[in-house]
Amino acid sequence: MGLHFNLLTLFPEMFPGSLALSLSGRALEKRLWSYHSLNIRDFAGDRHKTVDDTPYGGGAGMVLRADVIEAALLSLGERPQRKIYLSPRGKVLNQPLVQELAAAQTDITLLCGRYEGVDQRVLDAHEFEEVSIGDYVLSGGEPAALILMDACIRLLDGVMGNEDTAGEESFSAGLLEYPHYTRPAEWTDSSGVSRKVPEVLTSGDHGKVKEWRRAQSLALTRNRRPDLLPPSS
Ligand code: 6GU
């Protein structure tokens, strides 16, 4: 029942974070999704609670120990789980992957790295997938986990307030969104420039509105993100 996330992190207080608010927060209260945040440090084997060590071969930074990560993982028990290590070297998260994860029939375990990384052997031994949220470097995987979770949660049945919103999105699937306007129909900005809402939107002609929005979406996509368009266009 509902999508369940396990979080393996050195900062369990970072969850649910922003996901306790707004749409995802309401969905959490409604039990449409749930989470279990584990502190990796609780699985350290020594009295100093050591979780990391220096890298073999030398170099800067520290590496999270395989044995500690595995102990945390095994504490989750035998429930089937999709295991994801959040790391900038993973495949980049996109909407098809988000849709796949939101529809997962198993728990999703997210390993959030810190320091230089995680001992490769625990990733290999437990067949972690690696996922990145984009081509830049964060100081840790936790914000990436929150983003991945947010993107999944908003797709769950019963989460969106307005059932129209999801359909609207599939209409413009793969394109950037057209511009939005609300009242007043004419607005003067702080420089004294008067700005009107595009006439078609106040015309009441729903066919024309739809056509205009589609054209706007296409033009925006062509200008800003041509990589999103199929090769034919
Ligand atoms: Cl998943 N982790 C970190 N540390 N940095 C990232 C990232 C993940 N995705 C993009 N940058």
Side-chain angles (χ1 to χ4, degrees), residues 14-175:
M14 288 179 71
F15 300 92
S18 59
L19 299 176
L21 305 173
S22 191
L23 209 68
S24 50
R26 240 139 29 220
L28 181 59
E29 285 170 3
K30 288 203 284 186
R31 313 232 180 160
L32 298 175
W33 69 280
S34 55
Y35 74 98
H36 181 210
S37 199
L38 283 86
N39 190 340
I40 291 169
R41 200 168 296 282
D42 292 343
F43 300 89
D46 63 334
R47 62 187 185 86
H48 291 113
K49 298 282 168 202
T50 309
V51 295
D52 56 357
D53 209 331
T54 53
Y56 277 116
M62 301 291 275
V63 176
L64 291 171
R65 291 173 56 113
D67 56 347
V68 178
I69 300 297
E70 183 178 69
L73 196 58
L74 294 181
S75 80
L76 293 171
E78 300 283 75
R79 283 172 64 83
Q81 51 184 296
R82 188 154 173 176
K83 284 161 281 187
I84 296 175
Y85 171 45
L86 290 157
S87 129
R89 70 179 193 186
K91 65 181 165 211
V92 178
L93 186 67
N94 58 15
Q95 199 61 17
L97 179 54
V98 167
Q99 281 167 350
E100 187 185 314
L101 294 174
Q105 295 299 300
T106 64
D107 295 352
I108 297 177
T109 296
L110 301 176
L111 171 59
C112 303
R114 284 266 153 183
Y115 314 104
E116 295 315 296
V118 174
D119 190 309
Q120 183 62 38
R121 293 170 295 179
V122 74
L123 302 177
D124 294 342
H126 294 277
E127 300 185 283
F128 275 86
E129 294 171 58
E130 288 190 48
V131 173
S132 164
I133 61 162
D135 295 334
Y136 40 83
V137 181
L138 305 173
S139 53
E142 288 83 1
L146 289 168
I147 284 167
L148 180 152
M149 292 164 76
D150 179 285
C152 291
I153 291 162
R154 63 181 288 281
L155 297 184
L156 299 175
D157 283 345
V159 172
M160 283 271 192
N162 176 1
E163 288 306 322
D164 251 19
T165 315
E168 191 79 352
E169 226 176 34
S170 66
F171 155 74
S172 60
L175 295 181

